[in-house]
Amino acid sequence: MAYRQNNQHQDAIQHFTCALTKTTSINYTAALKSNIATAYRVQGQPSVGFQLLDSIEFDDLDANISAGIHIVRGNIALHIEQVDKALNHFLEAKKLFQLQNKHRDSVRLTFSILTTALIKQDLALYKEYRTNIENKIREHAIENHDYLLFLDEVKHAIAIENLSSLRTQHISELVKFLMDHDDANENVRLLLKSLNLKVLVPPGQKRLPREPLLEPNLASTWCEEMK
């Protein structure tokens, strides 16, 4: 995890992969595969990660781990333009959160569902999950008001069939603000790309490792392949 957080993704993949050989737990195995898939996505190889996640069996997983993996699968599905699959994964994760009474996680996930609805240009679906969302984010102290404002602007532009109405200074500034927030960054990019409005997205900056780098092969004391 430390490698991944420092954007040393190949080191992260190497260590997660070695850890896979050290457990027989289906929950640990699934979580490790999810971390590997995320590392591949961040370094621009979402299809590799998606194939790895397809090997996970969900039947006997812990509900919380299962929900997390559905979210990762949904995120990666959006990156490879499998929008319906993404939506199904997000909805399944939301159901699992609700069964566990994890209402804050469920509300936060609603924003991914709303974004996916707009990528599909399914305004009925958007309306269904948009209803009463202000009260829910206020109740759970979720700071997504600007993200919601952006989504509503996009929904309006789709509804009036005038996407060029989004080419304003106000929207540009809102997008620039959202680029600095992890909850919205990737979803905003993918939504604007789906609408052929990439011009509104600030140029992406490659996530480079931060100095000082973590030393390689930190797991050499327990991972035989690194000795």
Side-chain angles (χ1 to χ4, degrees), residues 84-134:
D84 288 328
K85 280 190 176 182
L87 178 62
N88 289 337
H89 285 303
F90 292 144
L91 293 175
E92 187 63 29
K94 188 174 179 66
K95 181 171 70 175
L96 288 167
F97 282 143
Q98 290 171 337
L99 288 172
Q100 300 173 83
N101 292 320
K102 293 193 169 185
H103 300 299
R104 190 173 195 275
D105 290 329
S106 175
V107 173
R108 288 184 62 186
L109 182 57
T110 300
F111 284 85
S112 291
I113 296 171
L114 291 172
T115 303
T116 307
L118 293 179
I119 291 174
K120 288 169 60 66
Q121 299 196 26
D122 186 337
L123 299 187
L125 180 66
Y126 184 85
K127 181 180 179 181
E128 176 184 353
Y129 285 91
R130 173 65 176 80
T131 301
N132 202 35
I133 193 70
E134 288 101 342

Side-chain angles (χ1 to χ4, degrees), residues 19 25 33 51 56 85-86 99 108-109 116 120 136 143 163 169 176 183 186 192 203:
S25 164
K33 287 182 177 180
Q51 291 172 9
I56 294 175
K85 280 190 176 182
L99 288 172
R108 288 184 62 186
L109 182 57
T116 307
K120 288 169 60 66
K136 293 175 182 177
E143 297 296 332
L163 295 178
Q169 183 67 25
K176 185 177 180 181
D183 274 359
E186 289 298 318
L192 290 174

Side-chain angles (χ1 to χ4, degrees), residues 10-184:
Q10 279 305 121
D11 287 311
I13 291 169
Q14 181 186 17
H15 282 68
F16 285 135
T17 301
C18 192
L20 280 172
T21 68
K22 303 298 181 181
T23 182
T24 57
S25 164
I26 60 171
N27 288 304
Y28 289 160
T29 297
L32 286 164
K33 287 182 177 180
S34 178
N35 277 297
I36 294 169
T38 299
Y40 274 118
R41 177 185 67 75
V42 172
Q43 67 176 15
Q45 296 175 281
S47 295
V48 177
F50 198 75
Q51 291 172 9
L52 180 63
L53 292 176
D54 267 347
S55 68
I56 294 175
E57 294 290 339
F58 279 88
D59 293 344
D60 298 313
L61 285 182
D62 172 85
N64 194 50
I65 290 177
S66 182
I69 291 170
H70 275 298
I71 292 171
V72 173
R73 291 185 76 171
N75 288 335
I76 293 178
L78 283 183
H79 277 79
I80 59 176
E81 299 182 355
Q82 294 192 14
V83 183
D84 288 328
K85 280 190 176 182
L87 178 62
N88 289 337
H89 285 303
F90 292 144
L91 293 175
E92 187 63 29
K94 188 174 179 66
K95 181 171 70 175
L96 288 167
F97 282 143
Q98 290 171 337
L99 288 172
Q100 300 173 83
N101 292 320
K102 293 193 169 185
H103 300 299
R104 190 173 195 275
D105 290 329
S106 175
V107 173
R108 288 184 62 186
L109 182 57
T110 300
F111 284 85
S112 291
I113 296 171
L114 291 172
T115 303
T116 307
L118 293 179
I119 291 174
K120 288 169 60 66
Q121 299 196 26
D122 186 337
L123 299 187
L125 180 66
Y126 184 85
K127 181 180 179 181
E128 176 184 353
Y129 285 91
R130 173 65 176 80
T131 301
N132 202 35
I133 193 70
E134 288 101 342
N135 291 337
K136 293 175 182 177
I137 64 177
R138 187 162 49 247
E139 177 185 353
H140 296 286
I142 297 171
E143 297 296 332
N144 272 355
H145 299 278
D146 294 290
Y147 190 6
L148 184 60
L149 174 61
F150 169 75
L151 293 176
D152 282 345
E153 294 275 11
V154 173
K155 179 262 180 185
H156 177 70
I158 293 173
I160 65 173
E161 299 182 358
N162 184 13
L163 295 178
S164 63
S165 67
L166 295 171
R167 296 172 179 265
T168 66
Q169 183 67 25
H170 164 65
I171 296 297
S172 295
E173 290 175 357
L174 189 54
V175 169
K176 185 177 180 181
F177 174 79
L178 292 172
M179 288 296 99
D180 293 328
H181 291 72
D182 289 341
D183 274 359

